[in-house]
Amino acid sequence: MLSIINQTLDILHANPEWHRRYAGYLADIWANCDKIKKGFVKPQGLSIYTTVGDRKSKNYYLRFKGQNVGKIKVTKDKVILQSLVEESKSHDIKNCPLKYKEETEWLSPQASAFRKFFKTRSVTTRTKSPEHEVENALLREFKKRNGADKALINIQPVLLHDNYFQMPTPLKASTHIPTYAKHNGGGIDMLARIRTNDGHIRLCVIEIKDENIPTESQKIAMSQAITYATFIAQLLKEEPKWMEFFMGHRSEIGRTPSSLDKFDIEVVTIMPEGNTETFENQVLEVPGTKYKLHCHGLYYNKKEFEETHCFDFSGTFLKEIRP
């Protein structure tokens, strides 16, 4: 895994254009904190996402079990809903009241019918991507307040303007060999904050899989997660102000929690239980930085999730997070 870290650092050093670009992303995020005030209420049965690419506009995306089904565009005097449901054999979302790319005002009868349609969809409805379904279920689970009905406490996803998002990177790691991709890099499945056993707060980079098979083993998934975590370490070295955003602040105030483990990053794979090759319970240093990557696995019972849409976790990550 050290070779993955070194390859990633070499690529980032050889392509410094990302420094100014990501500094601009953060400045725009701070400058548009009013995007938190959406102008509409989250529909029941759907999740709201946004993107760093939409950081300067009030564009939001509605997802059903992780699948994009609608886009909302908010202007000064209008809220417009656009359907993104395209008829396909790859999913079972059929007979949506709004046709693909059709637009209507948010308070129109057509939009009301769209919301009702997804409010009444069964949780067993098949969507395009089982992996996106698991990812969405984890985001919703981890966003819950600590309590008896939360499968894993002391973890919260990092949000963008109070919405789910994927942190972009300038790297492609899905082939398990890091390459530079400029604006077309992969997104981190989930960034989160955790509270460790000793009460400290840590940033957490999470890679999510819906399978645990030899060609997509935990070790292979971890190599992807380490690539992205190395980028985050280098990003924080170049621009430490990103940590303030990762800690959940909605505007720049020049402060991070006193309990923050500033130079420790948890790197976690979440996938079904299995017997594939692993790389976990290891700590790696990122050369040229003060950062250490704490690598762990978290597993869920796939059959139970498919039947109940609930998680029962196991794995070395449970020893890191405060119970």
Side-chain angles (χ1 to χ4, degrees):
M1 292 298 179
L2 286 174
S3 65
I4 294 286
I5 293 175
N6 288 323
Q7 287 178 56
T8 303
L9 291 174
D10 288 345
I11 291 168
L12 293 172
H13 293 325
N15 298 276
E17 65 82 22
W18 64 270
H19 295 177
R20 181 175 294 182
R21 184 153 52 88
Y22 277 77
Y25 291 167
L26 184 60
D28 289 341
I29 288 169
W30 292 139
N32 291 278
C33 59
D34 66 330
K35 189 174 176 178
I36 293 169
K37 300 173 184 176
K38 299 179 183 65
F40 63 93
V41 177
K42 185 188 86 66
Q44 190 174 337
L46 297 174
S47 301
I48 302 174
Y49 287 69
T50 192
T51 69
V52 170
D54 287 305
R55 63 196 177 277
K56 294 192 285 186
S57 60
K58 285 194 170 184
N59 291 337
Y60 308 88
Y61 300 87
L62 299 177
R63 291 193 185 185
F64 174 72
K65 295 177 62 179
Q67 179 175 328
N68 262 340
V69 295
K71 180 178 182 179
I72 297 177
K73 295 176 279 189
V74 180
T75 62
K76 242 178 204 181
D77 54 356
K78 282 186 179 180
V79 179
I80 300 297
L81 167 66
Q82 181 185 55
S83 173
L84 297 180
V85 180
E86 193 170 8
E87 290 291 328
S88 170
K89 293 180 180 179
S90 65
H91 63 79
D92 290 337
I93 303 173
K94 310 296 184 186
N95 303 314
C96 180
L98 284 182
K99 302 306 179 186
Y100 181 61
K101 295 291 187 180
E102 186 178 353
E103 293 187 353
T104 186
E105 291 195 25
W106 184 248
L107 296 179
S108 70
Q110 293 89 342
S112 178
F114 178 92
R115 294 192 293 272
K116 183 178 180 181
F117 176 79
F118 284 103
K119 180 180 178 180
T120 57
R121 289 307 91 194
S122 167
V123 293
T124 61
T125 302
R126 182 173 63 96
T127 54
K128 283 182 180 179
S129 170
E131 190 164 293
H132 288 171
E133 181 178 339
V134 174
E135 176 189 302
N136 178 257
L138 287 165
L139 283 165
R140 289 186 286 108
E141 184 66 32
F142 291 167
K143 193 170 182 275
K144 292 178 182 176
R145 294 178 180 273
N146 282 351
D149 68 334
K150 187 172 181 178
L152 186 65
I153 63 172
N154 290 311
I155 184 169
Q156 281 289 323
V158 175
L159 304 176
L160 173 56
H161 296 136
D162 220 21
N163 305 293
Y164 300 141
F165 83 114
Q166 281 196 340
M167 178 69 187
T169 78
L171 302 161
K172 280 191 175 178
S174 57
T175 61
H176 318 303
I177 301 174
T179 56
Y180 196 71
K182 204 171 181 178
H183 293 85
N184 300 313
I188 298 171
D189 286 343
M190 190 193 304
L191 281 175
R193 297 179 298 277
I194 72 161
R195 190 168 292 276
T196 63
N197 271 317
D198 57 7
H200 290 182
I201 297 171
R202 279 186 188 169
L203 184 63
C204 184
V205 173
I206 300 174
E207 179 66 25
I208 299 166
K209 300 294 182 186
D210 70 309
E211 292 186 306
N212 188 349
I213 56 179
T215 53
E216 283 289 345
S217 67
Q218 190 274 340
K219 185 176 182 179
I220 290 173
M222 180 57 74
S223 71
Q224 189 172 349
I226 285 173
T227 298
Y228 293 147
T230 301
F231 167 69
I232 293 296
Q234 192 65 30
L235 175 67
L236 289 169
K237 179 189 175 185
E238 299 289 341
E239 185 50 86
K241 290 181 181 178
W242 271 100
M243 186 61 88
E244 197 171 353
F245 167 70
F246 294 151
M247 288 300 105
H249 295 164
R250 295 177 174 179
S251 59
E252 185 178 5
I253 58 176
R255 188 177 73 241
T256 52
S258 58
S259 59
L260 174 66
D261 278 343
K262 188 174 180 181
F263 298 111
D264 293 274
I265 298 175
E266 294 286 328
V267 188
V268 180
T269 59
I270 303 182
M271 60 201 317
E273 298 165 345
N275 296 305
T276 62
E277 189 176 9
T278 63
F279 185 92
E280 50 194 349
N281 210 23
Q282 303 283 335
V283 180
L284 302 173
E285 294 186 3
V286 181
T289 77
K290 297 179 181 178
Y291 288 91
K292 293 181 180 179
L293 308 182
H294 299 252
C295 304
H296 291 279
L298 187 66
Y299 304 94
Y300 63 92
N301 185 303
K302 186 172 183 176
K303 183 179 179 182
E304 182 174 340
F305 174 74
E306 290 173 345
E307 291 176 352
T308 68
H309 295 271
C310 295
F311 293 100
D312 182 16
F313 292 118
S314 60
T316 62
F317 182 53
L318 296 180
K319 295 186 292 184
E320 293 286 281
I321 196 166
R322 174 177 278 187

